[in-house]
Amino acid sequence: MGCEDVRVLLIYPVFPPTFWSYDKSLELVNRKVLLPHLGLITVAGRLPQTWEFKLCDRNIREVTEAEWEWAEMVIFSAMIVQKPDLLAQIKEAKRRGKCVVVGGSYAPSVPSEVQEAGADFLVLDEGEITLPMSVEALQRGETQATIRTEEKPDVTLRPIPRYDLLELDAYDSMSVQFSRGCPFQCEFCDIIVLYGRKPRTKTPAQLLKELDYLYELGWRRGVFMVDDNFIGNKRNVKLLLKELKVWQKEHQYPFRFNTEASVDLAQDTELMELMVESNFDAVFLGIETPDEESLKLTKKFQNTRDSLTDTIDTLIRAGLRSMAGFIIGFDGEKIGAASRIIRFVENAAIPTAMFGMLQALPHTALWHRLEKEGRLRVDNSKLDINQSTLMNFVPTRPIEDIAREYIEAFWTLYDAEIFLDRTYRCFLKLGAPKCHAPFKFPSWVDLRALAIVIWRQGFKRNTRWKFWHHFFGILKHNTPVWEHYLTVCAHNEHFLEYRQIVRDEIEQQLQEFLVREKQETRQIVNV
């Protein structure tokens, strides 16, 4: 394999069903995946452009025989939840005699597993630095290497991702990144380990060029700013938004934006207004828990400064629908954590609330503390972390209590009637959008999706009365948000199924855990 003209196959491994997979909701609009992986198409933009690239997202389709035969090098990027398929695909690539390169957020955490599967090159940490180093290693004739760096690169040098490699019609939304890093110090978070606590941002012109490229490719749907904290550098994000709102207006608002931010967004009126004027309509917040003692223990101090309920209310009234993440299982957590989370979500009127049992991610402050306390589980090297897995450490209260409360929270909040009521309360007070794209007739796919949602929720299920009452209530009291409202109603098509997956898998794992625990107790007694 020469280094001047290499045929590269980029493979993104399978995601198991998760909170964010939205499988049943995406089926309605004939799409396969919520978002594309930004890392692989950025890698393709950073490698020599004399190389040839093909991309296969295995969440859309299988790798074809023609692609396997064509490729000289196979590059993988994956998160922890994708580990099973990642390892299987590495072995398949090696069986076919390919040079295998692995990066992403999972490989730096447990590089030994990736190496044992057969990876030739581990290109870890931030690719702006390590990718050129890997090309140099190839040019020297090296056949294996682990390439790392502690240096944090200037992201203004980052190339435009190769969006042209994606099967665009298969995705519901598109991924764009403005910044890396987060200024906070949450004990359980691996973002500050991977990318540091000093947020680094692109220039406004740089990001607008990426949007220009998406526009030229014909993209006209949602765009998710995948920053771990979009407002980590408020000064720079305001500079971006001031130019973005002009770009959006000039292009007749082709994109709707969502992102993730810290709760201090609600303290900055100018920032919220700029986001809404740029056609942001939703924001994901890491609430984690309404229990202030747990927030302090995990060093999420930014969530203790103001009333979290008031924070959510401020964002909704500004026009930003709030999504929120919650964690159960913090040290010192008192019984009834699930009930308190349910009560908070209902009072705050948050339609979409993500749950997870606390997990110790490799090399985080939480990981190191639990390791020192001897509380990491013995099989922790075999990481398998998802919303449907038990905790990977010994908690301070019985794990069966935590697991049952977790199931209760998921099951209750995504009950069809409870979800409709909560969504209705949110949209009654949601600030009206300030951006208005020209009218266009809905596609046949969108009309079909609307008909299915109306049939299921407005006729087939017991929700029929609530569905019509709430829909006409939105039309009467907050007409501009009706389309956004129906879109969120459709999301529960996914959650109704996913809550059953969570219940089944957690109950099975809990039973297996209790059996193992009983066997270990017997062995100790016999000794």
Side-chain angles (χ1 to χ4, degrees), residues 377 390-391 393-395 398-400 506-520:
R377 295 202 180 280
L390 292 178
M391 303 165 78
F393 66 94
V394 179
I399 195 166
E400 53 265 43
I506 292 293
E507 286 180 346
Q508 180 183 342
Q509 290 183 48
L510 183 58
Q511 290 305 312
E512 291 171 356
F513 170 82
L514 294 174
V515 168
R516 284 198 308 271
E517 194 175 59
K518 191 175 293 185
Q519 289 171 344
E520 289 169 4

Short mmCIF file of all heavy atoms in Angstrom, two decimals, residues 377 390-391 393-395 398-400 506-520:
data_model
loop_
_atom_site.label_atom_id
_atom_site.label_comp_id
_atom_site.label_asym_id
_atom_site.label_seq_id
_atom_site.Cartn_x
_atom_site.Cartn_y
_atom_site.Cartn_z
N ARG A 377 -16.13 -2.29 39.82
CA ARG A 377 -16.40 -3.72 39.70
C ARG A 377 -15.24 -4.42 38.99
O ARG A 377 -14.56 -3.85 38.14
CB ARG A 377 -17.70 -3.95 38.92
CG ARG A 377 -18.92 -3.41 39.67
CD ARG A 377 -20.20 -4.08 39.19
NE ARG A 377 -21.33 -3.55 39.93
CZ ARG A 377 -21.68 -3.92 41.15
NH1 ARG A 377 -20.97 -4.84 41.79
NH2 ARG A 377 -22.72 -3.39 41.74
N LEU A 390 -26.58 -1.97 34.11
CA LEU A 390 -26.42 -1.65 35.54
C LEU A 390 -25.15 -0.85 35.76
O LEU A 390 -24.26 -0.79 34.91
CB LEU A 390 -26.38 -2.94 36.37
CG LEU A 390 -27.67 -3.75 36.46
CD1 LEU A 390 -27.43 -5.02 37.28
CD2 LEU A 390 -28.80 -2.94 37.07
N MET A 391 -25.03 -0.27 36.92
CA MET A 391 -23.86 0.54 37.27
C MET A 391 -22.60 -0.32 37.30
O MET A 391 -22.66 -1.51 37.63
CB MET A 391 -24.11 1.18 38.64
CG MET A 391 -25.38 2.01 38.69
SD MET A 391 -25.91 2.40 40.37
CE MET A 391 -24.77 3.72 40.75
N PHE A 393 -20.02 0.13 39.23
CA PHE A 393 -19.31 0.26 40.52
C PHE A 393 -20.30 -0.03 41.65
O PHE A 393 -21.51 -0.18 41.42
CB PHE A 393 -18.71 1.68 40.67
CG PHE A 393 -19.75 2.78 40.78
CD1 PHE A 393 -20.19 3.22 42.01
CD2 PHE A 393 -20.28 3.36 39.63
CE1 PHE A 393 -21.13 4.23 42.12
CE2 PHE A 393 -21.23 4.37 39.73
CZ PHE A 393 -21.66 4.81 40.98
N VAL A 394 -19.78 -0.13 42.86
CA VAL A 394 -20.61 -0.44 44.02
C VAL A 394 -21.18 0.86 44.57
O VAL A 394 -20.44 1.71 45.06
CB VAL A 394 -19.79 -1.16 45.11
CG1 VAL A 394 -20.68 -1.45 46.32
CG2 VAL A 394 -19.16 -2.43 44.56
N PRO A 395 -22.51 1.07 44.48
CA PRO A 395 -23.12 2.32 44.96
C PRO A 395 -23.27 2.32 46.48
O PRO A 395 -23.02 1.31 47.14
CB PRO A 395 -24.48 2.32 44.27
CG PRO A 395 -24.81 0.87 44.09
CD PRO A 395 -23.51 0.16 43.87
N PRO A 398 -28.47 0.01 48.01
CA PRO A 398 -28.62 -1.24 47.26
C PRO A 398 -28.90 -1.02 45.79
O PRO A 398 -29.78 -0.23 45.42
CB PRO A 398 -29.81 -1.92 47.95
CG PRO A 398 -29.80 -1.37 49.35
CD PRO A 398 -29.35 0.06 49.20
N ILE A 399 -28.17 -1.72 44.95
CA ILE A 399 -28.30 -1.52 43.51
C ILE A 399 -29.68 -1.94 43.02
O ILE A 399 -30.21 -1.37 42.07
CB ILE A 399 -27.19 -2.28 42.74
CG1 ILE A 399 -27.12 -1.75 41.29
CG2 ILE A 399 -27.40 -3.79 42.78
CD1 ILE A 399 -25.87 -2.16 40.56
N GLU A 400 -30.31 -2.93 43.72
CA GLU A 400 -31.65 -3.32 43.29
C GLU A 400 -32.66 -2.20 43.51
O GLU A 400 -33.60 -2.03 42.73
CB GLU A 400 -32.12 -4.60 43.99
CG GLU A 400 -32.04 -4.58 45.51
CD GLU A 400 -30.76 -5.21 46.01
OE1 GLU A 400 -29.69 -4.93 45.45
OE2 GLU A 400 -30.84 -5.99 46.99
N ILE A 506 -32.94 -4.24 32.11
CA ILE A 506 -32.50 -3.96 33.48
C ILE A 506 -32.96 -5.07 34.42
O ILE A 506 -32.21 -5.53 35.28
CB ILE A 506 -33.02 -2.59 33.96
CG1 ILE A 506 -32.34 -1.47 33.18
CG2 ILE A 506 -32.79 -2.42 35.46
CD1 ILE A 506 -30.86 -1.32 33.43
N GLU A 507 -34.22 -5.53 34.27
CA GLU A 507 -34.71 -6.60 35.13
C GLU A 507 -33.90 -7.88 34.94
O GLU A 507 -33.58 -8.59 35.90
CB GLU A 507 -36.19 -6.85 34.87
CG GLU A 507 -37.09 -5.76 35.46
CD GLU A 507 -38.57 -6.01 35.20
OE1 GLU A 507 -38.88 -6.87 34.34
OE2 GLU A 507 -39.40 -5.33 35.85
N GLN A 508 -33.55 -8.19 33.69
CA GLN A 508 -32.74 -9.38 33.43
C GLN A 508 -31.35 -9.25 34.06
O GLN A 508 -30.86 -10.17 34.72
CB GLN A 508 -32.60 -9.61 31.92
CG GLN A 508 -31.75 -10.83 31.57
CD GLN A 508 -31.57 -11.01 30.08
OE1 GLN A 508 -32.31 -10.45 29.28
NE2 GLN A 508 -30.58 -11.78 29.70
N GLN A 509 -30.71 -8.10 33.87
CA GLN A 509 -29.38 -7.90 34.45
C GLN A 509 -29.42 -7.91 35.97
O GLN A 509 -28.51 -8.42 36.62
CB GLN A 509 -28.80 -6.58 33.96
CG GLN A 509 -28.41 -6.59 32.50
CD GLN A 509 -27.78 -5.28 32.08
OE1 GLN A 509 -26.90 -4.77 32.75
NE2 GLN A 509 -28.25 -4.73 30.98
N LEU A 510 -30.49 -7.35 36.51
CA LEU A 510 -30.62 -7.33 37.98
C LEU A 510 -30.74 -8.74 38.53
O LEU A 510 -30.11 -9.08 39.54
CB LEU A 510 -31.83 -6.48 38.38
CG LEU A 510 -32.05 -6.30 39.89
CD1 LEU A 510 -30.83 -5.66 40.54
CD2 LEU A 510 -33.30 -5.45 40.13
N GLN A 511 -31.54 -9.57 37.87
CA GLN A 511 -31.68 -10.96 38.32
C GLN A 511 -30.34 -11.69 38.24
O GLN A 511 -29.97 -12.43 39.16
CB GLN A 511 -32.74 -11.69 37.49
CG GLN A 511 -34.16 -11.24 37.74
CD GLN A 511 -34.55 -11.33 39.21
OE1 GLN A 511 -34.32 -12.34 39.87
NE2 GLN A 511 -35.13 -10.24 39.73
N GLU A 512 -29.62 -11.49 37.15
CA GLU A 512 -28.30 -12.13 37.00
C GLU A 512 -27.34 -11.63 38.08
O GLU A 512 -26.56 -12.41 38.64
CB GLU A 512 -27.74 -11.84 35.61
CG GLU A 512 -28.51 -12.52 34.49
CD GLU A 512 -28.08 -12.05 33.11
OE1 GLU A 512 -27.24 -11.12 33.03
OE2 GLU A 512 -28.58 -12.60 32.11
N PHE A 513 -27.39 -10.34 38.38
CA PHE A 513 -26.52 -9.77 39.41
C PHE A 513 -26.83 -10.36 40.77
O PHE A 513 -25.92 -10.74 41.52
CB PHE A 513 -26.71 -8.24 39.45
CG PHE A 513 -26.04 -7.58 40.62
CD1 PHE A 513 -24.68 -7.29 40.58
CD2 PHE A 513 -26.77 -7.25 41.75
CE1 PHE A 513 -24.06 -6.69 41.67
CE2 PHE A 513 -26.16 -6.65 42.85
CZ PHE A 513 -24.80 -6.35 42.81
N LEU A 514 -28.13 -10.47 41.11
CA LEU A 514 -28.52 -11.00 42.42
C LEU A 514 -28.14 -12.47 42.56
O LEU A 514 -27.73 -12.92 43.64
CB LEU A 514 -30.03 -10.81 42.63
CG LEU A 514 -30.50 -9.35 42.74
CD1 LEU A 514 -32.02 -9.28 42.81
CD2 LEU A 514 -29.88 -8.66 43.95
N VAL A 515 -28.24 -13.23 41.46
CA VAL A 515 -27.82 -14.64 41.49
C VAL A 515 -26.32 -14.74 41.74
O VAL A 515 -25.86 -15.54 42.58
CB VAL A 515 -28.19 -15.36 40.17
CG1 VAL A 515 -27.51 -16.72 40.08
CG2 VAL A 515 -29.70 -15.52 40.07
N ARG A 516 -25.54 -13.92 41.03
CA ARG A 516 -24.07 -13.92 41.23
C ARG A 516 -23.72 -13.54 42.64
O ARG A 516 -22.84 -14.14 43.27
CB ARG A 516 -23.41 -12.95 40.25
CG ARG A 516 -23.32 -13.44 38.82
CD ARG A 516 -22.28 -12.65 38.04
NE ARG A 516 -22.49 -11.22 38.13
CZ ARG A 516 -23.25 -10.52 37.30
NH1 ARG A 516 -23.90 -11.14 36.31
NH2 ARG A 516 -23.39 -9.22 37.43
N GLU A 517 -24.41 -12.53 43.16
CA GLU A 517 -24.13 -12.07 44.52
C GLU A 517 -24.42 -13.16 45.54
O GLU A 517 -23.66 -13.36 46.50
CB GLU A 517 -24.96 -10.81 44.81
CG GLU A 517 -24.51 -10.05 46.04
CD GLU A 517 -25.28 -8.76 46.22
OE1 GLU A 517 -26.53 -8.83 46.34
OE2 GLU A 517 -24.66 -7.68 46.23
N LYS A 518 -25.52 -13.90 45.32
CA LYS A 518 -25.88 -14.99 46.23
C LYS A 518 -24.83 -16.10 46.18
O LYS A 518 -24.43 -16.66 47.21
CB LYS A 518 -27.26 -15.54 45.86
CG LYS A 518 -27.86 -16.50 46.90
CD LYS A 518 -29.28 -16.91 46.52
CE LYS A 518 -30.23 -15.73 46.60
NZ LYS A 518 -31.65 -16.16 46.34
N GLN A 519 -24.36 -16.41 44.97
CA GLN A 519 -23.34 -17.45 44.81
C GLN A 519 -22.03 -17.04 45.48
O GLN A 519 -21.37 -17.86 46.15
CB GLN A 519 -23.09 -17.72 43.32
CG GLN A 519 -24.24 -18.43 42.63
CD GLN A 519 -24.07 -18.49 41.12
OE1 GLN A 519 -23.26 -17.77 40.54
NE2 GLN A 519 -24.84 -19.36 40.46
N GLU A 520 -21.65 -15.77 45.33
CA GLU A 520 -20.42 -15.30 45.97
C GLU A 520 -20.54 -15.34 47.49
O GLU A 520 -19.58 -15.68 48.19
CB GLU A 520 -20.12 -13.87 45.50
CG GLU A 520 -19.68 -13.79 44.04
CD GLU A 520 -19.65 -12.37 43.51
OE1 GLU A 520 -19.89 -11.44 44.31
OE2 GLU A 520 -19.40 -12.18 42.31
#
